[in-house]
Amino acid sequence: MTHPCEHVLFVDDDADVREAAQQTLELADIPVECFEKPEQALERIAKGWPGILVTDIRMPKMTGMELLEQTVAIDAEMPVILVTGHGDVATAVKAMRSGAFDFIEKPFAPDYFVDIVRRACAHRRLQSENRALKAELARHLPSSNGLIGRTPAMERLRSLIGNIANTNAHVLINGETGAGKEVVARTLHDMSGRTGPFVAINCGAVPENLIESELFGHEAGAFTGAERKRIGKFEFANKGTVFLDEIESMPLSLQIKLLRVLQERALERLGSNTVQPIDLRVVAATKVDLREAASRGEFREDLYYRLNVVQLHIPPLRDRKDDIPLLFQHFLKQAEDRFGRSFEPLSAEELARFSSYDWPGNVRELRNAAERRVLGLDSLTHDNAGSADATLPLPRQVEAFEKNLICEALRKHGGNVTATVATLGVPRKTFYDKLAKYDISPADFRNRVEND
């Protein structure tokens, strides 16, 4: 059986009380160690010790109040329960203001005593788990570049990234929406030693009539409106990494040009006959099976094989739920810094809810849940429009409200951008700027109905 905490220290100078307390706790399957003198218990107490203290108040030489003070000095988080006589209640209340967890008055019913001890033990276990999460987070962040997780799947992913990062091999990342494909791409770039920039492009978000100029650049006069020369994303990323998200959305006509860039390591701007050599690594990401798409004629097969030198698969969050506490703690800290607000540690009930939920939006949805929690909203409730905490500064309240309006409109229209823009009545460019600002992906809302 798993215990809420490893040990209970019980201190009372009355032998009969010690014997009764020991029998009560052992019958409840709670490990206990009894002491006649407070000094004996102090020898067992150390910072981070995974247990709680229960002590009588009135004892010779050292009182329970003095024991409380010394215990708090060693570990301010350790739950201390005071056992009081009838005339000591006021003293016990005062002690709670000084850091005591609770108090119980003699004579007490065994069930009531066990209930208070179990609550204190559960509180202590929660403290230990949060402390362990913070330590684990500190261990992961310096070396993982944001790839947080301790499940075997994540360890394998980190190992594979470490093996290929400093090569020039092109990489294809496969994973569901919100799984963290850009984080993996950035990690590859950060560990590659490449001196150029990391440039991220969402192929599904750039209008088809502009994507060629966006990627390859153009000369002045190349087309109507091209008044001056423009350096494209590929050329700008020379000696660096280009991340092509939603590569499956790239038009077939442009796929041919991309294939040529990968084969020849050179490009031509629109309207130019000059070949520009480039040193470029391409990391592409997709949420579909590109091989199947190629067999249906929806994606060029030769480009698929050119990109698929190395394939990295990011497991969905539902398949690595043991990583949820660590990830959520990380996102809570980010949200705390962003909103300038503190947060309470996760409760056992919240962790249970998170573990039973499938997280269809994956890591992105978990991060949004952390932000909602710091804002004082229900982490797993999606219908929070207009319910932001009024204690936030006005600009933060407006941002939270605006983000919820956009999400609700996307959900209503199943992720259809055209219909959403029409409903909100904003220019398309403004809408895409808002999506980038709030890190919202229309793909997260596809195939959902209004009352899901």
Side-chain angles (χ1 to χ4, degrees):
M1 179 178 178
T2 301
H3 300 288
C5 61
E6 291 186 6
H7 220 80
V8 175
L9 303 181
F10 185 89
V11 184
D12 198 301
D13 61 332
D14 188 319
D16 292 337
V17 173
R18 289 199 304 274
E19 183 178 359
Q22 183 167 359
Q23 290 178 354
T24 298
L25 294 177
E26 287 179 347
L27 285 172
D29 202 25
I30 298 174
V32 59
E33 189 174 356
C34 293
F35 301 94
E36 177 184 1
K37 300 176 180 179
E39 294 86 353
Q40 297 170 324
L42 272 176
E43 294 177 359
R44 301 279 284 111
I45 295 172
K47 186 173 179 61
W49 179 79
I52 71 165
L53 172 66
V54 183
T55 178
D56 189 25
I57 288 183
R58 293 193 177 185
M59 293 180 291
K61 294 186 178 179
M62 181 185 291
T63 67
M65 290 290 291
E66 292 170 331
L67 178 57
L68 168 66
E69 291 173 1
Q70 294 199 34
T71 300
V72 169
I74 296 171
D75 187 341
E77 294 184 339
M78 182 179 293
V80 178
I81 299 172
L82 297 170
V83 180
T84 77
H86 178 69
D88 296 323
V89 174
T91 303
V93 171
K94 179 182 177 183
M96 290 186 67
R97 296 194 184 104
S98 301
F101 178 80
D102 208 340
F103 70 92
I104 185 169
E105 187 178 358
K106 298 177 184 177
F108 46 78
D111 289 347
Y112 179 59
F113 177 51
V114 168
D115 180 63
I116 289 181
V117 168
R118 280 182 170 154
R119 283 194 293 108
C121 284
H123 183 77
R124 185 60 164 169
R125 180 182 61 181
L126 196 59
Q127 289 175 346
S128 299
E129 289 175 351
N130 278 288
R131 192 182 298 116
L133 283 175
K134 289 178 181 178
E136 185 78 3
L137 201 56
R139 185 177 70 84
H140 275 274
L141 285 178
S143 59
S144 66
N145 294 281
L147 278 180
I148 297 168
R150 52 192 172 192
T151 54
M154 291 304 293
E155 294 290 357
R156 286 193 298 271
L157 181 60
R158 274 196 294 269
S159 176
L160 186 53
I161 289 172
N163 288 335
I164 66 170
N166 62 354
T167 70
N168 290 322
H170 302 307
V171 178
L172 182 62
I173 303 173
N174 187 274
E176 295 180 3
T177 297
K181 296 186 285 292
E182 184 169 343
V183 173
V184 171
R186 285 185 180 276
T187 302
L188 277 166
H189 175 73
D190 292 343
M191 297 176 65
S192 69
R194 301 185 69 85
T195 58
F198 175 87
V199 178
I201 304 163
N202 188 318
C203 299
V206 182
E208 188 171 340
N209 62 327
L210 296 179
I211 190 168
E212 185 173 1
S213 173
E214 186 77 9
L215 297 184
F216 297 98
H218 61 256
E219 297 290 342
F223 51 85
T224 303
E227 298 178 356
R228 64 184 65 182
K229 181 176 73 175
R230 185 180 189 279
I231 301 297
K233 299 290 188 184
F234 283 175
E235 194 173 345
F236 176 75
N238 189 39
K239 299 187 182 300
T241 303
V242 166
F243 172 56
L244 298 175
D245 197 9
E246 296 188 26
I247 185 84
E248 69 275 9
S249 303
M250 180 177 284
L252 287 169
S253 59
L254 201 60
Q255 292 179 27
I256 300 173
K257 295 190 174 184
L258 174 59
L259 180 63
R260 183 181 175 187
V261 169
L262 298 181
Q263 289 174 336
E264 300 180 5
R265 297 185 179 276
L267 59 79
E268 294 180 17
R269 302 188 197 111
L270 285 174
S272 173
N273 294 320
T274 304
V275 176
Q276 304 285 339
I278 55 170
D279 173 10
L280 195 66
R281 184 187 204 173
V282 172
V283 178
T286 179
K287 58 181 180 293
V288 304
D289 188 325
L290 285 187
R291 189 170 185 176
E292 287 188 7
S295 68
R296 296 191 300 268
E298 298 171 0
F299 195 84
R300 288 189 63 92
E301 187 174 21
D302 47 4
L303 178 59
Y304 165 70
Y305 285 112
R306 174 65 67 172
L307 291 171
N308 194 33
V309 177
V310 178
Q311 185 166 163
L312 300 177
H313 175 70
I314 306 177
L317 193 55
R318 63 180 174 275
D319 290 344
R320 56 183 188 105
K321 288 188 174 180
D322 287 347
D323 288 333
I324 287 176
L326 194 63
L327 279 164
F328 197 69
Q329 185 78 22
H330 171 61
F331 293 137
L332 282 175
K333 183 65 174 67
Q334 285 187 334
E336 180 185 44
D337 294 340
R338 178 183 174 189
F339 296 119
R341 304 186 66 183
S342 59
F343 58 87
E344 293 295 323
L346 283 175
S347 67
E349 290 78 13
E350 282 181 297
L351 286 175
R353 289 175 67 202
F354 288 178
S355 296
S356 64
Y357 183 58
D358 278 342
W359 300 100
N362 290 292
V363 176
R364 182 184 292 128
E365 185 179 6
L366 184 68
R367 183 182 60 195
N368 291 341
E371 290 186 357
R372 285 197 297 273
R373 191 178 191 280
V374 172
L375 289 172
L377 307 175
D378 188 336
S379 298
L380 293 182
T381 296
H382 300 279
D383 297 320
N384 288 314
S387 60
D389 194 322
T391 61
L392 282 174
L394 181 59
R396 293 295 189 192
Q397 294 186 53
V398 172
E399 287 180 355
F401 185 74
E402 184 177 56
K403 180 178 179 179
N404 277 311
L405 282 179
I406 293 171
C407 289
E408 284 302 299
L410 282 167
R411 188 165 71 91
K412 180 179 179 181
H413 295 293
N416 185 295
V417 170
T418 301
T420 302
V421 167
T423 296
L424 295 175
V426 296
R428 197 178 188 91
K429 183 181 184 305
T430 300
F431 179 74
Y432 278 116
D433 288 343
K434 298 293 185 184
L435 294 185
K437 177 180 179 179
Y438 299 123
D439 195 19
I440 300 171
S441 172
D444 290 350
F445 300 86
R446 290 172 190 159
N447 301 320
R448 296 188 185 180
V449 295
E450 184 170 356
N451 294 315
D452 61 356

